Amino acid sequence: MADVAEKAGVSRALVSIIFRNQAGAGRETRERVLRVADEIGYRPDSAARLLARGRSRTLGVMFAVHQTFHTDLITGIYPEAERLGYDVLLSGSTQGRSEAKAVEALLSHRCEAVILLGPDAQPGYLGELGQRTVTVSVSRRVPQAHVDFVHSAEGKGVRQAMDHLVELGHRRIVHIDGGRGPGSAERRRAYRAAMRRHGLEDRARVIPGHHTEESGVETGWLLLAERDSGRPLPTAVLAGNDRCAMGLLMSLTRAGIEVPRDLSVVGYDDSHLSHLMPIGLTTVRQDAVLMAEHAVRFAVERLENGELQPREAVLDPKLVVRGTSGPAPAE
């Protein structure tokens, strides 16, 4: 700022006034100062200015790098944060970078609140984090932790998917579990409950898995190996999420299994990749934009109204029927 003032022949205080867009400088002076600033590459350090006032007005977002649904959530977070006057800083977790390390990086950059997308952390860690800073957990609910929660009604989504498959005549319906992934326990319970409700409890089968394409591929190989040993293929599979469903489709189609003629597949999330495939994926849609907006508003409202207690938003999912589900094959 001093360099701009010297080259433009004005005081540093006047440069500050101009960059704060306040009255006190004539049009020609303002234009000259801005031109000089552009020539020497000066940009006001808004972060430093906010920190001087004791605020960063920055929301930290922790996400899993390989989760496509997290990309959809981030796409919704940016415009809502900007609308409310906040910046967003991202920090990713990977196989070699823990969620805790990703979160600590956000806090070290003075983020005022953290939004966790599908956290896999232990309840104790979430509770401790909620005491340190304003925290919002998206897609995972841990009731005893002092954090805000935004998630879909997992049970309702699974019921819609299962009712759809049963109406199509499916009876041998397998569920690929999502392991410790967000929403997995609720989806697993809802699957078992739906099988009981439809009188199919004795046919219920949960295959251990994860929210990854590799898990879907491995399940496909397992089902094909069982078929070769005399065990019939299921007529439908409810995957833990879209990524798992896509991996399953890859292994099945490579083996000559026609979807949905021979076997129907349903995913969960309705991530942006689910409708970019040659055959659109039938899946349970979570409204990523609405979830993102709730998460940002929860964080901002608690920052600006410190007395607010953590809250919970439960959003309704919706089954989206595309090309991977059809009538059950004749037995």
Side-chain angles (χ1 to χ4, degrees):
M1 193 178 293
D3 293 339
V4 172
E6 181 179 357
K7 189 168 183 178
V10 298
S11 68
R12 179 170 173 167
L14 188 59
V15 172
S16 178
I17 286 172
I18 291 171
F19 276 104
R20 292 201 306 272
N21 202 29
Q22 294 179 338
R27 181 177 60 83
E28 291 185 3
T29 301
R30 184 179 298 273
E31 290 177 354
R32 185 169 75 255
V33 167
L34 293 176
R35 184 173 62 252
V36 168
D38 186 60
E39 289 173 357
I40 68 174
Y42 170 76
R43 295 292 181 275
D45 191 340
S46 57
R49 188 164 61 242
L50 286 168
L51 287 173
R53 301 175 190 168
R55 296 289 305 274
S56 72
R57 295 191 73 84
T58 301
L59 305 177
V61 178
M62 187 283 296
F63 68 105
V65 170
H66 298 296
Q67 286 295 350
T68 54
F69 187 62
H70 291 185
T71 305
D72 297 341
L73 289 167
I74 291 168
T75 301
I77 285 173
Y78 272 111
E80 184 65 8
E82 183 177 350
R83 186 183 73 83
L84 296 173
Y86 282 75
D87 288 328
V88 174
L89 185 64
L90 303 178
S91 185
S93 65
T94 65
Q95 189 171 5
R97 189 174 193 251
S98 68
E99 290 184 357
K101 189 170 184 177
V103 169
E104 291 305 318
L106 294 171
L107 296 178
S108 70
H109 283 82
R110 304 200 184 197
C111 292
E112 294 189 324
V114 291
I115 299 174
L116 312 177
L117 305 185
D120 191 34
Q122 294 295 327
Y125 174 77
L126 286 180
E128 185 268 337
L129 182 62
Q131 296 296 330
R132 292 171 61 192
T133 189
V134 172
T135 305
V136 183
S137 174
V138 179
S139 294
R140 184 177 177 213
R141 181 175 182 270
V142 181
Q144 61 268 37
H146 189 77
V147 305
D148 291 297
F149 299 108
V150 179
H151 60 96
S152 68
E154 309 282 356
K156 186 177 291 186
V158 170
R159 284 195 298 274
Q160 292 178 32
M162 294 295 290
D163 289 349
H164 169 66
L165 292 172
V166 171
E167 287 171 5
L168 289 171
H170 294 279
R171 297 297 178 266
R172 294 198 308 275
I173 307 171
V174 167
H175 176 50
I176 307 176
D177 186 28
R180 292 183 56 195
S184 295
E186 293 85 352
R187 295 172 198 177
R188 182 170 56 247
R189 286 194 294 267
Y191 161 78
R192 293 189 183 280
M195 291 294 278
R196 286 194 301 270
R197 181 163 51 86
H198 288 292
L200 302 172
E201 185 174 10
D202 59 332
R203 298 192 179 194
R205 183 185 181 192
V206 176
I207 299 177
H210 303 283
H211 285 169
T212 63
E213 292 86 355
E214 291 81 4
S215 179
V217 170
E218 291 171 2
T219 299
W221 290 340
L222 171 65
L223 296 176
L224 291 167
E226 292 178 346
R227 180 200 60 177
D228 294 341
S229 299
R231 183 173 185 170
L233 284 173
T235 63
V237 175
L238 173 64
N241 73 343
D242 289 350
R243 290 180 63 197
C244 180
M246 291 174 192
L248 176 66
L249 288 169
M250 288 171 57
S251 58
L252 292 177
T253 54
R254 287 174 181 172
I257 303 298
E258 290 195 25
V259 177
R261 188 196 68 181
D262 302 326
L263 188 151
S264 290
V265 177
V266 178
Y268 204 107
D269 283 341
D270 195 28
S271 60
H272 64 275
L273 295 180
S274 64
H275 43 85
L276 298 179
M277 302 169 56
I279 175 172
L281 177 67
T282 295
T283 184
V284 178
R285 182 173 189 264
Q286 299 192 87
D287 193 328
V289 171
L290 195 57
M291 294 174 78
E293 290 174 350
H294 272 81
V296 171
R297 285 199 294 268
F298 276 2
V300 170
E301 288 169 5
R302 284 186 61 202
L303 286 172
E304 299 184 359
N305 301 277
E307 72 279 2
L308 287 179
Q309 290 299 307
R311 292 162 294 170
E312 181 175 359
V314 184
L315 308 181
D316 284 336
K318 181 180 180 181
L319 179 69
V320 180
V321 178
R322 296 193 182 97
T324 59
S325 61
E331 298 192 25

PDB file of all heavy atoms in Angstrom, residues 290-315:
ATOM      1  N   LEU A 290     -29.287 -28.650  -1.571  1.00  0.00           N
ATOM      2  CA  LEU A 290     -30.054 -28.318  -0.374  1.00  0.00           C
ATOM      3  C   LEU A 290     -29.290 -28.694   0.893  1.00  0.00           C
ATOM      4  O   LEU A 290     -29.298 -27.950   1.888  1.00  0.00           O
ATOM      5  CB  LEU A 290     -31.412 -29.032  -0.410  1.00  0.00           C
ATOM      6  CG  LEU A 290     -32.469 -28.541   0.573  1.00  0.00           C
ATOM      7  CD1 LEU A 290     -32.753 -27.059   0.385  1.00  0.00           C
ATOM      8  CD2 LEU A 290     -33.763 -29.348   0.425  1.00  0.00           C
ATOM      9  N   MET A 291     -28.621 -29.836   0.871  1.00  0.00           N
ATOM     10  CA  MET A 291     -27.805 -30.231   2.022  1.00  0.00           C
ATOM     11  C   MET A 291     -26.688 -29.222   2.250  1.00  0.00           C
ATOM     12  O   MET A 291     -26.405 -28.830   3.388  1.00  0.00           O
ATOM     13  CB  MET A 291     -27.224 -31.638   1.796  1.00  0.00           C
ATOM     14  CG  MET A 291     -28.275 -32.741   1.756  1.00  0.00           C
ATOM     15  SD  MET A 291     -27.578 -34.356   1.303  1.00  0.00           S
ATOM     16  CE  MET A 291     -26.819 -34.829   2.861  1.00  0.00           C
ATOM     17  N   ALA A 292     -26.050 -28.784   1.174  1.00  0.00           N
ATOM     18  CA  ALA A 292     -24.964 -27.808   1.277  1.00  0.00           C
ATOM     19  C   ALA A 292     -25.466 -26.491   1.845  1.00  0.00           C
ATOM     20  O   ALA A 292     -24.821 -25.881   2.711  1.00  0.00           O
ATOM     21  CB  ALA A 292     -24.329 -27.589  -0.095  1.00  0.00           C
ATOM     22  N   GLU A 293     -26.609 -26.041   1.377  1.00  0.00           N
ATOM     23  CA  GLU A 293     -27.160 -24.774   1.855  1.00  0.00           C
ATOM     24  C   GLU A 293     -27.490 -24.845   3.341  1.00  0.00           C
ATOM     25  O   GLU A 293     -27.203 -23.894   4.090  1.00  0.00           O
ATOM     26  CB  GLU A 293     -28.410 -24.414   1.045  1.00  0.00           C
ATOM     27  CG  GLU A 293     -28.100 -24.024  -0.387  1.00  0.00           C
ATOM     28  CD  GLU A 293     -29.341 -23.817  -1.224  1.00  0.00           C
ATOM     29  OE1 GLU A 293     -30.462 -24.154  -0.739  1.00  0.00           O
ATOM     30  OE2 GLU A 293     -29.225 -23.316  -2.356  1.00  0.00           O
ATOM     31  N   HIS A 294     -28.073 -25.942   3.787  1.00  0.00           N
ATOM     32  CA  HIS A 294     -28.354 -26.101   5.213  1.00  0.00           C
ATOM     33  C   HIS A 294     -27.069 -26.078   6.032  1.00  0.00           C
ATOM     34  O   HIS A 294     -27.003 -25.452   7.090  1.00  0.00           O
ATOM     35  CB  HIS A 294     -29.103 -27.419   5.462  1.00  0.00           C
ATOM     36  CG  HIS A 294     -30.585 -27.302   5.343  1.00  0.00           C
ATOM     37  ND1 HIS A 294     -31.245 -27.311   4.141  1.00  0.00           N
ATOM     38  CD2 HIS A 294     -31.550 -27.164   6.286  1.00  0.00           C
ATOM     39  CE1 HIS A 294     -32.541 -27.195   4.339  1.00  0.00           C
ATOM     40  NE2 HIS A 294     -32.760 -27.104   5.636  1.00  0.00           N
ATOM     41  N   ALA A 295     -26.043 -26.774   5.548  1.00  0.00           N
ATOM     42  CA  ALA A 295     -24.778 -26.847   6.289  1.00  0.00           C
ATOM     43  C   ALA A 295     -24.160 -25.470   6.450  1.00  0.00           C
ATOM     44  O   ALA A 295     -23.709 -25.088   7.541  1.00  0.00           O
ATOM     45  CB  ALA A 295     -23.811 -27.796   5.583  1.00  0.00           C
ATOM     46  N   VAL A 296     -24.132 -24.695   5.375  1.00  0.00           N
ATOM     47  CA  VAL A 296     -23.541 -23.357   5.434  1.00  0.00           C
ATOM     48  C   VAL A 296     -24.359 -22.461   6.356  1.00  0.00           C
ATOM     49  O   VAL A 296     -23.793 -21.731   7.192  1.00  0.00           O
ATOM     50  CB  VAL A 296     -23.445 -22.743   4.023  1.00  0.00           C
ATOM     51  CG1 VAL A 296     -23.040 -21.268   4.100  1.00  0.00           C
ATOM     52  CG2 VAL A 296     -22.448 -23.525   3.177  1.00  0.00           C
ATOM     53  N   ARG A 297     -25.674 -22.499   6.225  1.00  0.00           N
ATOM     54  CA  ARG A 297     -26.510 -21.639   7.068  1.00  0.00           C
ATOM     55  C   ARG A 297     -26.382 -22.001   8.543  1.00  0.00           C
ATOM     56  O   ARG A 297     -26.336 -21.119   9.404  1.00  0.00           O
ATOM     57  CB  ARG A 297     -27.969 -21.721   6.611  1.00  0.00           C
ATOM     58  CG  ARG A 297     -28.229 -20.966   5.327  1.00  0.00           C
ATOM     59  CD  ARG A 297     -29.708 -20.664   5.158  1.00  0.00           C
ATOM     60  NE  ARG A 297     -30.497 -21.861   4.974  1.00  0.00           N
ATOM     61  CZ  ARG A 297     -30.802 -22.386   3.786  1.00  0.00           C
ATOM     62  NH1 ARG A 297     -30.352 -21.800   2.680  1.00  0.00           N
ATOM     63  NH2 ARG A 297     -31.534 -23.460   3.692  1.00  0.00           N
ATOM     64  N   PHE A 298     -26.336 -23.291   8.842  1.00  0.00           N
ATOM     65  CA  PHE A 298     -26.153 -23.707  10.237  1.00  0.00           C
ATOM     66  C   PHE A 298     -24.857 -23.129  10.799  1.00  0.00           C
ATOM     67  O   PHE A 298     -24.830 -22.593  11.917  1.00  0.00           O
ATOM     68  CB  PHE A 298     -26.118 -25.236  10.333  1.00  0.00           C
ATOM     69  CG  PHE A 298     -27.474 -25.890  10.396  1.00  0.00           C
ATOM     70  CD1 PHE A 298     -28.639 -25.140  10.336  1.00  0.00           C
ATOM     71  CD2 PHE A 298     -27.592 -27.261  10.523  1.00  0.00           C
ATOM     72  CE1 PHE A 298     -29.889 -25.733  10.399  1.00  0.00           C
ATOM     73  CE2 PHE A 298     -28.830 -27.877  10.591  1.00  0.00           C
ATOM     74  CZ  PHE A 298     -29.980 -27.111  10.529  1.00  0.00           C
ATOM     75  N   ALA A 299     -23.778 -23.244  10.042  1.00  0.00           N
ATOM     76  CA  ALA A 299     -22.479 -22.752  10.517  1.00  0.00           C
ATOM     77  C   ALA A 299     -22.511 -21.237  10.716  1.00  0.00           C
ATOM     78  O   ALA A 299     -22.092 -20.725  11.764  1.00  0.00           O
ATOM     79  CB  ALA A 299     -21.380 -23.138   9.526  1.00  0.00           C
ATOM     80  N   VAL A 300     -23.022 -20.517   9.736  1.00  0.00           N
ATOM     81  CA  VAL A 300     -23.023 -19.053   9.796  1.00  0.00           C
ATOM     82  C   VAL A 300     -23.935 -18.554  10.919  1.00  0.00           C
ATOM     83  O   VAL A 300     -23.578 -17.625  11.661  1.00  0.00           O
ATOM     84  CB  VAL A 300     -23.450 -18.463   8.443  1.00  0.00           C
ATOM     85  CG1 VAL A 300     -23.704 -16.962   8.555  1.00  0.00           C
ATOM     86  CG2 VAL A 300     -22.373 -18.746   7.389  1.00  0.00           C
ATOM     87  N   GLU A 301     -25.104 -19.159  11.061  1.00  0.00           N
ATOM     88  CA  GLU A 301     -26.027 -18.707  12.105  1.00  0.00           C
ATOM     89  C   GLU A 301     -25.458 -18.925  13.498  1.00  0.00           C
ATOM     90  O   GLU A 301     -25.656 -18.100  14.396  1.00  0.00           O
ATOM     91  CB  GLU A 301     -27.367 -19.424  11.949  1.00  0.00           C
ATOM     92  CG  GLU A 301     -28.162 -18.925  10.744  1.00  0.00           C
ATOM     93  CD  GLU A 301     -29.364 -19.793  10.427  1.00  0.00           C
ATOM     94  OE1 GLU A 301     -29.650 -20.734  11.204  1.00  0.00           O
ATOM     95  OE2 GLU A 301     -30.020 -19.539   9.392  1.00  0.00           O
ATOM     96  N   ARG A 302     -24.721 -20.007  13.688  1.00  0.00           N
ATOM     97  CA  ARG A 302     -24.110 -20.223  15.007  1.00  0.00           C
ATOM     98  C   ARG A 302     -22.934 -19.285  15.228  1.00  0.00           C
ATOM     99  O   ARG A 302     -22.676 -18.863  16.356  1.00  0.00           O
ATOM    100  CB  ARG A 302     -23.666 -21.676  15.153  1.00  0.00           C
ATOM    101  CG  ARG A 302     -24.847 -22.624  15.415  1.00  0.00           C
ATOM    102  CD  ARG A 302     -24.381 -24.029  15.710  1.00  0.00           C
ATOM    103  NE  ARG A 302     -23.553 -24.075  16.894  1.00  0.00           N
ATOM    104  CZ  ARG A 302     -22.688 -25.048  17.162  1.00  0.00           C
ATOM    105  NH1 ARG A 302     -22.510 -26.024  16.292  1.00  0.00           N
ATOM    106  NH2 ARG A 302     -21.984 -25.029  18.268  1.00  0.00           N
ATOM    107  N   LEU A 303     -22.214 -18.937  14.169  1.00  0.00           N
ATOM    108  CA  LEU A 303     -21.120 -17.973  14.304  1.00  0.00           C
ATOM    109  C   LEU A 303     -21.641 -16.592  14.675  1.00  0.00           C
ATOM    110  O   LEU A 303     -21.030 -15.880  15.478  1.00  0.00           O
ATOM    111  CB  LEU A 303     -20.325 -17.882  13.000  1.00  0.00           C
ATOM    112  CG  LEU A 303     -19.402 -19.057  12.665  1.00  0.00           C
ATOM    113  CD1 LEU A 303     -18.848 -18.898  11.259  1.00  0.00           C
ATOM    114  CD2 LEU A 303     -18.270 -19.169  13.676  1.00  0.00           C
ATOM    115  N   GLU A 304     -22.759 -16.229  14.094  1.00  0.00           N
ATOM    116  CA  GLU A 304     -23.266 -14.875  14.288  1.00  0.00           C
ATOM    117  C   GLU A 304     -24.312 -14.784  15.394  1.00  0.00           C
ATOM    118  O   GLU A 304     -24.720 -13.681  15.755  1.00  0.00           O
ATOM    119  CB  GLU A 304     -23.815 -14.359  12.958  1.00  0.00           C
ATOM    120  CG  GLU A 304     -22.715 -14.319  11.897  1.00  0.00           C
ATOM    121  CD  GLU A 304     -23.153 -13.735  10.570  1.00  0.00           C
ATOM    122  OE1 GLU A 304     -24.346 -13.371  10.452  1.00  0.00           O
ATOM    123  OE2 GLU A 304     -22.310 -13.635   9.666  1.00  0.00           O
ATOM    124  N   ASN A 305     -24.729 -15.912  15.920  1.00  0.00           N
ATOM    125  CA  ASN A 305     -25.657 -15.954  17.063  1.00  0.00           C
ATOM    126  C   ASN A 305     -25.146 -17.022  18.027  1.00  0.00           C
ATOM    127  O   ASN A 305     -25.674 -18.127  18.080  1.00  0.00           O
ATOM    128  CB  ASN A 305     -27.085 -16.282  16.612  1.00  0.00           C
ATOM    129  CG  ASN A 305     -27.616 -15.278  15.613  1.00  0.00           C
ATOM    130  OD1 ASN A 305     -28.102 -14.218  15.960  1.00  0.00           O
ATOM    131  ND2 ASN A 305     -27.507 -15.620  14.332  1.00  0.00           N
ATOM    132  N   GLY A 306     -24.098 -16.702  18.726  1.00  0.00           N
ATOM    133  CA  GLY A 306     -23.344 -17.668  19.513  1.00  0.00           C
ATOM    134  C   GLY A 306     -24.146 -18.506  20.478  1.00  0.00           C
ATOM    135  O   GLY A 306     -23.721 -19.588  20.872  1.00  0.00           O
ATOM    136  N   GLU A 307     -25.335 -18.057  20.867  1.00  0.00           N
ATOM    137  CA  GLU A 307     -26.098 -18.799  21.858  1.00  0.00           C
ATOM    138  C   GLU A 307     -26.862 -19.968  21.260  1.00  0.00           C
ATOM    139  O   GLU A 307     -27.439 -20.783  21.978  1.00  0.00           O
ATOM    140  CB  GLU A 307     -27.091 -17.859  22.568  1.00  0.00           C
ATOM    141  CG  GLU A 307     -28.287 -17.423  21.720  1.00  0.00           C
ATOM    142  CD  GLU A 307     -27.964 -16.284  20.773  1.00  0.00           C
ATOM    143  OE1 GLU A 307     -26.790 -15.867  20.749  1.00  0.00           O
ATOM    144  OE2 GLU A 307     -28.875 -15.819  20.070  1.00  0.00           O
ATOM    145  N   LEU A 308     -26.910 -20.086  19.937  1.00  0.00           N
ATOM    146  CA  LEU A 308     -27.672 -21.159  19.306  1.00  0.00           C
ATOM    147  C   LEU A 308     -27.073 -22.521  19.628  1.00  0.00           C
ATOM    148  O   LEU A 308     -25.859 -22.714  19.574  1.00  0.00           O
ATOM    149  CB  LEU A 308     -27.692 -20.968  17.786  1.00  0.00           C
ATOM    150  CG  LEU A 308     -28.560 -19.842  17.232  1.00  0.00           C
ATOM    151  CD1 LEU A 308     -28.433 -19.794  15.718  1.00  0.00           C
ATOM    152  CD2 LEU A 308     -30.011 -20.037  17.630  1.00  0.00           C
ATOM    153  N   GLN A 309     -27.945 -23.467  19.937  1.00  0.00           N
ATOM    154  CA  GLN A 309     -27.523 -24.841  20.161  1.00  0.00           C
ATOM    155  C   GLN A 309     -27.433 -25.567  18.816  1.00  0.00           C
ATOM    156  O   GLN A 309     -28.084 -25.186  17.850  1.00  0.00           O
ATOM    157  CB  GLN A 309     -28.514 -25.552  21.078  1.00  0.00           C
ATOM    158  CG  GLN A 309     -28.491 -25.066  22.516  1.00  0.00           C
ATOM    159  CD  GLN A 309     -27.137 -25.282  23.157  1.00  0.00           C
ATOM    160  OE1 GLN A 309     -26.605 -26.398  23.141  1.00  0.00           O
ATOM    161  NE2 GLN A 309     -26.565 -24.227  23.724  1.00  0.00           N
ATOM    162  N   PRO A 310     -26.623 -26.617  18.750  1.00  0.00           N
ATOM    163  CA  PRO A 310     -26.535 -27.389  17.500  1.00  0.00           C
ATOM    164  C   PRO A 310     -27.908 -27.894  17.069  1.00  0.00           C
ATOM    165  O   PRO A 310     -28.757 -28.223  17.890  1.00  0.00           O
ATOM    166  CB  PRO A 310     -25.612 -28.557  17.882  1.00  0.00           C
ATOM    167  CG  PRO A 310     -24.776 -28.017  18.980  1.00  0.00           C
ATOM    168  CD  PRO A 310     -25.683 -27.114  19.767  1.00  0.00           C
ATOM    169  N   ARG A 311     -28.105 -27.954  15.755  1.00  0.00           N
ATOM    170  CA  ARG A 311     -29.397 -28.367  15.213  1.00  0.00           C
ATOM    171  C   ARG A 311     -29.218 -29.509  14.219  1.00  0.00           C
ATOM    172  O   ARG A 311     -28.105 -29.883  13.880  1.00  0.00           O
ATOM    173  CB  ARG A 311     -30.075 -27.171  14.525  1.00  0.00           C
ATOM    174  CG  ARG A 311     -30.505 -26.086  15.490  1.00  0.00           C
ATOM    175  CD  ARG A 311     -30.762 -24.774  14.756  1.00  0.00           C
ATOM    176  NE  ARG A 311     -29.541 -24.235  14.186  1.00  0.00           N
ATOM    177  CZ  ARG A 311     -29.505 -23.207  13.333  1.00  0.00           C
ATOM    178  NH1 ARG A 311     -30.635 -22.643  12.938  1.00  0.00           N
ATOM    179  NH2 ARG A 311     -28.359 -22.757  12.875  1.00  0.00           N
ATOM    180  N   GLU A 312     -30.339 -30.022  13.747  1.00  0.00           N
ATOM    181  CA  GLU A 312     -30.316 -31.150  12.820  1.00  0.00           C
ATOM    182  C   GLU A 312     -31.318 -30.908  11.700  1.00  0.00           C
ATOM    183  O   GLU A 312     -32.447 -30.506  11.947  1.00  0.00           O
ATOM    184  CB  GLU A 312     -30.654 -32.446  13.548  1.00  0.00           C
ATOM    185  CG  GLU A 312     -30.621 -33.682  12.670  1.00  0.00           C
ATOM    186  CD  GLU A 312     -30.841 -34.957  13.466  1.00  0.00           C
ATOM    187  OE1 GLU A 312     -30.999 -34.873  14.707  1.00  0.00           O
ATOM    188  OE2 GLU A 312     -30.859 -36.046  12.853  1.00  0.00           O
ATOM    189  N   ALA A 313     -30.884 -31.140  10.472  1.00  0.00           N
ATOM    190  CA  ALA A 313     -31.772 -31.057   9.317  1.00  0.00           C
ATOM    191  C   ALA A 313     -31.818 -32.429   8.658  1.00  0.00           C
ATOM    192  O   ALA A 313     -30.777 -32.995   8.307  1.00  0.00           O
ATOM    193  CB  ALA A 313     -31.271 -30.014   8.319  1.00  0.00           C
ATOM    194  N   VAL A 314     -33.023 -32.973   8.522  1.00  0.00           N
ATOM    195  CA  VAL A 314     -33.217 -34.280   7.889  1.00  0.00           C
ATOM    196  C   VAL A 314     -34.006 -34.051   6.601  1.00  0.00           C
ATOM    197  O   VAL A 314     -35.165 -33.630   6.645  1.00  0.00           O
ATOM    198  CB  VAL A 314     -33.970 -35.250   8.809  1.00  0.00           C
ATOM    199  CG1 VAL A 314     -34.061 -36.630   8.157  1.00  0.00           C
ATOM    200  CG2 VAL A 314     -33.289 -35.346  10.172  1.00  0.00           C
ATOM    201  N   LEU A 315     -33.387 -34.311   5.477  1.00  0.00           N
ATOM    202  CA  LEU A 315     -33.982 -34.021   4.184  1.00  0.00           C
ATOM    203  C   LEU A 315     -34.507 -35.293   3.522  1.00  0.00           C
ATOM    204  O   LEU A 315     -33.921 -36.373   3.670  1.00  0.00           O
ATOM    205  CB  LEU A 315     -32.953 -33.353   3.271  1.00  0.00           C
ATOM    206  CG  LEU A 315     -32.239 -32.135   3.878  1.00  0.00           C
ATOM    207  CD1 LEU A 315     -31.261 -31.542   2.875  1.00  0.00           C
ATOM    208  CD2 LEU A 315     -33.255 -31.079   4.299  1.00  0.00           C
TER     209      LEU A 315
END
